[in-house]
Amino acid sequence: MNVAGREQASGWRILIAGTGGQGGLTIARLLCECFAERGHQVVSGQLHGLAQRGGAVQSSVLIDAGISPVIARGRADVVLGLEPVETARAIPLMSVRTLVYMNTAPVLPFVLAQRAVLQEADAEYPPVEQLVERVRAVAPDTFSLDATRLALAAGSGQALNSVMLGCLLGAGVLPVTENEFWSAIATQMPTALRETNTQAFHSGVEFARKRCQEPLLGGSPR
Amino acid sequence: MSVARQQSLLQDSPAARACLLGNLAIVRGALEAGLQFFSCYPGTPSSEVGDTLARLAKDAGVVFEYSVNEKIAVEVAFAACLTGARAMCGMKHLGLSYANDPLSTMPYVGVEGGLVLVSAGDPSAITSPNEQDQRRYCDFLYYPVFDPATPADALRMTRYAFEFSEATRLPVILRPTTRVCHSSGMVELGPLPTRKNEIGFSKDPPRYVPIPDNARRMRVELTARLRHAAELLQASTFFPRRGHGRHGIIAGGVAYAYAVQVIDDLGIEDEVTLQQVGAYPIPAGVLDDFVQSVDSILVVEELTPLIEEQVSLAAFRCRRQIPVRGKLSGHFPLEFEYSPDLVEDAVRDYLKLSPRGIRGRAEASGPDRLKLPPRPPVLCPGCPHRTSFCMVNRVFGKHTVYCGDIGCYTLGYGAPLHACDVLLCMGSSITQASGIARMTGRRTVAYIGDSTFFHSGLPALLNAVLARDAITVVILDNYITAMTGFQPSPTTPDRAAIEPAVRGLGVQEVFSADPFDEEAALGALRQAERGTGVNVVVFHAPCVVNQRRTAKGRRRTSFAINQELCNACSRCVRVLGCPGIQVVDGVYSIDAELCDGCALCARLCQRQAIRPVGAEATA
């Protein structure tokens, strides 16, 4: 794998950051199943506090990268950010080598409403542009997109995780093509969901393809 | 798709490799060992073990029960193993403490069929009121303890633990921690058994009755069994060693996985000898050999310095004056779980490698300056507990002491519901209310859920009745054990009812209401507030998330806010703490995706600005 023109140490360390109910755990599970089936060494970890909708959820997928389920500081190869604040929360795991796909649609934390009525400080959701900027300052290969809008355009906001998976597979950094990956999943999916998620997945693939052809880091080709 | 994975747990595909969640690897290991009985009380992070077996039990020929509490789960499992059955029992670390009474005598009596207690640990208290180190049961109550670092370890340790338990007649503990339970990794599947243990109970009172005379004999036999256990562990594969470097590193649990990772990342394989500790008590032979083959030692273990103490003893025993770094030496923190970063910093210091660059640290401190809003857990939109708390607050006011308990309703803690002034453990709401009411002379309120009430609230309530304490026990019955993942509770329809149990204990004043029926709920609470002695208010209303999950209840119509009527008085947010209500730039709105249509906010709004979706525009 070649990210930002630098050699990858060994394997792939992918972090999925989002909130409960966004489908991040499903992304992790699908990646695990796909790569375990293909004979890779896969490890995955999830961390969520009390299992509640709306809480922060981080999951890791490590492919051929050892036995520890926890990604160390600065060692994520790819971050899929399903929510802007949660993507920024993952900054410590990023470095200049990290490829980031970042959804720009916020899920408002409930504490903000409380802070607003009690007239406490920090009652505003941080400006999304600022969050993207902060992430990009650490990981120059950060691509932001309104993935929630793409999912809705495909038929359901629930297909957000399919859009983000599309970005990951479309980036061409994993040792599997997007068609190989998706065909295995689509056959297992109930017909009612298949069309929406397939469209969502391909809109993610298309986004990653388009953006990856643009010159980055002072014109170094990807 | 999750169903397909569970089915594969029952497929006989020896030598196949699969990617399994740690908790599912434990299930597979038990099935490969010929499991015949399983009991548990759910508790994060152990719950998936029981939930998976609940679904597989019938096909796998396993007798299964969700027990009323952990002490009961352990006792039933122990009795099952006395009939020759291979039995397993699941719980979290706190549950193991709750079961300490039977636990302390079981090694004396000894097992017939293998008995494995899976007790998941929670370093950093991620979903618990404390962190504790169950490895200490090895010398505290004479339990061999297996300590997996990965799902692969979890599978093979579980499988071996049954045969080990039978060989030594000792019950054993398997202690995975959150990072093992909730991580997936590659495991190697073994064959499923074609035969299981024969079942039967042969009367032999001197063998099974620990009256003092027998107990003293058993104590001596126990020493012999422990000696046998140490020999088996010494010969086992759970203490692998890698490398021949003069820098020793010894590690257990998930911290071993971190150590492996760090050694690989730093490329220092040639400089270190890495020793894994996979079980306790650590065989003396393993430790003596290790301390004699290295010049210094770094101990990498979470929670208490157990390995560190044993290593120091071994060094003393072997007359090896070598430096030992760990928690006691100040090189690792005494609290909380470790991380690869923490281990890397300690290893760099140990090998005198340069610390990580300043740039790395600046990146790490980035989000601090960003002030990212937190996402603490909060009661779900439509949760009946929120309604119950609001009703109680209206009647009992803010000066009453509210004693909380363990369950979703603990989230009533803090603003704006203020429904938890004290908390300790399962069932403690009622006992704490007793103690406070008896000393202050003021009526005190206890909140307890249905599953927790039957877990340990029953004797507490009887205690209060006998003492005639001025307490009001509010039982929040949502028919399910919600917080740990919707396991059935004793009040799941067609099972035990709360009211007859409460009356049977001698409570005279028992009121029942639907908390969403405001008149009935307030009426019940007012009578309770004026009552004498112990009284009980039972609020019955199903968990909304479970309703939606099981598709039994049709979703209620969401509500919306009429912007012309809303005067931004903020009452709805200040009183209810419902995550469905948002405030952006001073404008109040309801997230239709989140709103469950409980109408609590609509009833609260004095301007009738909150209305069902579709009707909100009509002023």
Side-chain angles (χ1 to χ4, degrees):
Chain A
M1 161 177 174
N2 189 326
V3 175
R6 289 180 52 167
E7 275 306 308
Q8 161 66 26
S10 71
W12 296 266
R13 301 172 196 215
I14 303 161
L15 183 89
I16 303 125
T19 69
Q22 285 193 308
L25 297 178
T26 307
I27 295 181
R29 182 166 56 78
L30 294 175
L31 289 171
C32 280
E33 285 174 5
C34 169
F35 286 96
E37 197 131 298
R38 295 174 157 266
H40 292 272
Q41 177 85 26
V42 185
V43 176
S44 174
Q46 41 177 276
L47 192 64
H48 45 81
L50 304 162
Q52 286 276 324
R53 199 154 70 151
V57 180
Q58 280 193 357
S59 33
S60 61
V61 177
L62 296 94
I63 303 163
D64 299 331
I67 60 169
S68 158
V70 182
I71 299 174
R73 224 153 56 200
R75 289 222 162 88
D77 297 306
V78 185
V79 171
L80 295 182
L82 276 56
E83 203 278 345
V85 157
E86 296 313 318
T87 313
R89 232 190 279 285
I91 285 176
L93 304 187
M94 302 174 191
S95 74
V96 286
R97 294 194 314 99
T98 310
L99 173 63
V100 182
Y101 288 99
M102 179 173 180
N103 182 16
T104 55
V107 175
L108 296 182
F110 164 67
V111 291
L112 297 181
Q114 288 257 296
R115 287 175 181 174
V117 303
L118 298 172
Q119 301 188 335
E120 289 175 358
D122 304 316
E124 304 287 322
Y125 190 92
V128 174
E129 309 78 58
Q130 192 194 334
L131 294 172
V132 175
E133 223 170 84
R134 285 303 186 91
V135 171
R136 191 168 283 142
V138 178
D141 286 349
T142 294
F143 301 100
S144 60
L145 71 161
D146 190 342
T148 301
R149 191 180 51 79
L150 291 178
L152 287 168
S156 165
Q158 294 287 307
L160 166 67
N161 53 359
S162 295
V163 177
M164 300 306 289
L165 265 174
C167 292
L168 174 63
L169 273 299
V173 293
L174 295 181
V176 60
T177 68
E178 72 261 16
N179 285 333
E180 289 167 333
F181 179 81
W182 191 253
S183 57
I185 292 167
T187 51
Q188 294 176 46
M189 206 176 271
T191 331
L193 302 176
R194 198 180 298 158
E195 201 176 319
T196 297
N197 282 286
T198 301
Q199 194 188 325
F201 178 77
H202 284 295
S203 64
V205 169
E206 201 182 316
F207 173 82
R209 282 259 178 72
K210 212 167 60 197
R211 297 304 304 264
C212 284
Q213 283 161 6
E214 290 173 9
L216 284 158
L217 290 179
S220 64
R222 294 179 59 81
Chain B
M1 220 166 304
S2 55
V3 175
R5 287 167 91 214
Q6 279 156 26
Q7 287 306 330
S8 70
L9 290 176
L10 289 177
Q11 280 167 13
D12 193 25
S13 41
R17 283 159 61 77
C19 182
L20 281 187
L21 190 71
N23 279 343
L24 297 197
I26 292 169
V27 170
R28 174 72 191 197
L31 293 174
E32 287 179 8
L35 185 71
Q36 290 161 295
F37 179 91
F38 182 83
S39 58
C40 69
Y41 188 81
T44 313
S46 74
S47 304
E48 293 84 0
V49 177
D51 297 349
T52 306
L53 277 166
R55 286 185 284 264
L56 298 181
K58 210 170 146 224
D59 292 338
V62 175
V63 177
F64 177 93
E65 83 167 33
Y66 281 118
S67 306
V68 168
N69 66 39
E70 295 89 347
K71 175 178 181 285
I72 287 165
V74 165
E75 289 165 359
V76 178
F78 180 62
C81 95
L82 293 186
T83 70
R86 288 197 162 180
M88 189 159 82
C89 184
M91 69 211 82
K92 67 189 290 180
H93 60 286
L94 298 151
L96 197 69
S97 304
Y98 190 76
N100 262 3
D101 194 354
L103 231 56
S104 58
T105 307
M106 281 156 48
Y108 281 57
V109 177
V111 306
E112 297 297 341
L115 175 60
V116 179
L117 310 172
V118 181
S119 173
D122 186 16
S124 285
I126 298 164
T127 56
S128 311
N130 67 28
E131 52 174 28
Q132 47 180 278
D133 194 342
Q134 301 104 296
R135 296 177 305 162
R136 292 285 178 183
Y137 278 82
C138 72
D139 44 17
F140 172 38
L141 296 179
Y142 311 122
Y143 279 78
V145 179
F146 290 91
D147 191 17
T150 60
D153 274 357
L155 193 154
R156 57 197 197 96
M157 283 179 182
T158 309
R159 185 174 53 206
Y160 175 71
F162 286 93
E163 134 193 5
F164 174 86
S165 172
E166 282 169 15
T168 58
R169 289 196 61 225
L170 288 169
V172 305
I173 292 172
L174 179 80
R175 193 285 308 239
T177 53
T178 307
R179 298 284 186 174
V180 176
C181 295
H182 286 170
S183 295
S184 303
M186 306 307 292
V187 299
E188 223 157 279
L189 304 181
L192 291 169
T194 47
R195 294 182 50 201
K196 292 190 178 184
N197 283 1
E198 278 193 32
I199 304 298
F201 182 80
S202 317
K203 286 192 182 196
D204 187 357
R207 187 172 168 103
Y208 298 124
V209 183
I211 53 172
D213 239 12
N214 291 338
R216 284 187 287 269
R217 186 200 75 235
M218 290 169 175
R219 177 65 190 87
V220 177
E221 292 168 0
L222 177 54
T223 302
R225 293 212 293 270
L226 288 164
R227 203 172 293 129
H228 185 206
E231 287 162 13
L232 288 178
L233 287 180
Q234 172 82 47
S236 76
T237 57
F238 302 121
F239 301 90
R241 194 182 294 176
R242 296 186 3 167
H244 303 282
R246 58 189 189 87
H247 290 92
I249 299 180
I250 184 167
V254 75
Y256 171 76
Y258 300 158
V260 169
Q261 192 76 50
V262 166
I263 290 167
D264 286 353
D265 286 349
L266 297 179
I268 51 170
E269 293 84 354
D270 295 341
E271 288 163 67
V272 301
T273 300
L274 176 64
Q275 171 71 55
Q276 181 180 5
V277 175
Y280 303 84
I282 314 171
V286 169
L287 289 172
D288 292 357
D289 194 53
F290 179 65
V291 300
Q292 287 174 37
S293 55
V294 294
D295 293 342
S296 58
I297 294 172
L298 178 72
V299 187
V300 188
E301 63 183 324
E302 295 176 324
L303 301 171
T304 65
L306 173 56
I307 301 177
E308 190 176 354
E309 290 166 8
Q310 294 300 311
V311 162
S312 302
L313 272 177
F316 178 77
R317 197 163 51 224
C318 300
R319 298 196 170 79
R320 287 280 289 163
Q321 284 208 331
I322 55 174
V324 177
R325 290 176 170 224
K327 291 168 182 284
L328 298 172
S329 67
H331 290 90
F332 275 109
L334 286 159
E335 313 86 5
F336 307 136
E337 63 173 358
Y338 287 5
S339 65
D341 295 306
L342 188 77
V343 175
E344 180 173 338
D345 289 343
V347 169
R348 279 176 183 273
D349 185 51
Y350 179 42
L351 281 134
K352 300 195 171 56
L353 304 174
S354 59
R356 274 187 284 182
I358 293 166
R359 174 159 164 66
R361 293 205 185 131
E363 284 165 10
S365 62
D368 297 339
R369 281 171 290 139
L370 260 174
K371 288 201 181 159
L372 299 172
R375 297 182 194 269
V378 52
L379 289 173
C380 304
C383 177
H385 299 331
R386 176 180 293 104
T387 309
S388 299
F389 292 147
C390 288
M391 297 297 152
V392 174
N393 283 345
R394 275 169 69 176
V395 173
F396 283 84
K398 61 179 176 186
H399 296 297
T400 298
V401 176
Y402 298 103
C403 304
D405 219 307
I406 308 290
C408 287
Y409 42 93
T410 315
L411 298 173
Y413 168 83
L417 296 165
H418 301 291
C420 186
D421 295 315
V422 294
L423 175 74
L424 197 55
C425 63
M426 293 287 286
S428 68
S429 57
I430 298 175
T431 40
Q432 289 201 300
S434 281
I436 289 169
R438 215 177 296 167
M439 298 313 289
T440 61
R442 294 200 51 170
R443 177 158 289 272
T444 303
V445 170
Y447 285 118
I448 189 165
D450 44 272
S451 189
T452 307
F453 176 68
F454 284 105
H455 177 285
S456 46
L458 281 171
L461 185 60
L462 177 62
N463 193 67
V465 168
L466 297 176
R468 295 182 192 164
D469 288 324
I471 66 170
T472 294
V473 179
V474 179
I475 302 179
L476 305 164
D477 180 16
N478 63 359
Y479 315 125
I480 202 84
T481 312
M483 185 160 249
T484 48
F486 310 104
Q487 294 82 10
S489 102
T491 64
T492 300
D494 303 325
R495 301 177 81 178
I498 294 170
E499 287 84 346
V502 167
R503 287 203 183 88
L505 292 176
V507 180
Q508 307 282 332
E509 300 168 354
V510 183
F511 312 98
S512 305
D514 174 351
F516 290 109
D517 180 344
E518 193 169 317
E519 205 174 313
L522 291 176
L525 289 165
R526 286 194 184 108
Q527 288 188 69
E529 199 252 341
R530 290 190 298 265
T532 53
V534 178
N535 52 44
V536 172
V537 177
V538 191
F539 280 137
H540 301 282
C543 167
V544 284
V545 177
N546 190 47
Q547 290 280 95
R548 215 177 295 138
R549 199 179 65 96
T550 53
K552 274 182 200 149
R554 247 185 77 228
R555 219 177 136 176
R556 292 175 284 196
T557 309
S558 302
F559 280 66
I561 297 179
N562 178 310
Q563 297 301 337
E564 281 166 37
L565 290 176
C566 175
N567 64 349
C569 73
S570 80
R571 200 157 172 245
C572 50
V573 174
R574 271 187 296 115
V575 176
L576 302 179
C578 176
I581 305 176
Q582 298 170 345
V583 187
V584 177
D585 297 332
V587 177
Y588 288 66
S589 63
I590 292 175
D591 185 328
E593 274 294 305
L594 292 176
C595 177
D596 186 72
C598 76
L600 189 61
C601 57
R603 277 188 274 139
L604 186 78
C605 180
Q606 289 166 326
R607 292 174 60 87
Q608 283 88 45
I610 305 179
R611 294 154 178 234
V613 167
E616 83 272 20
T618 44

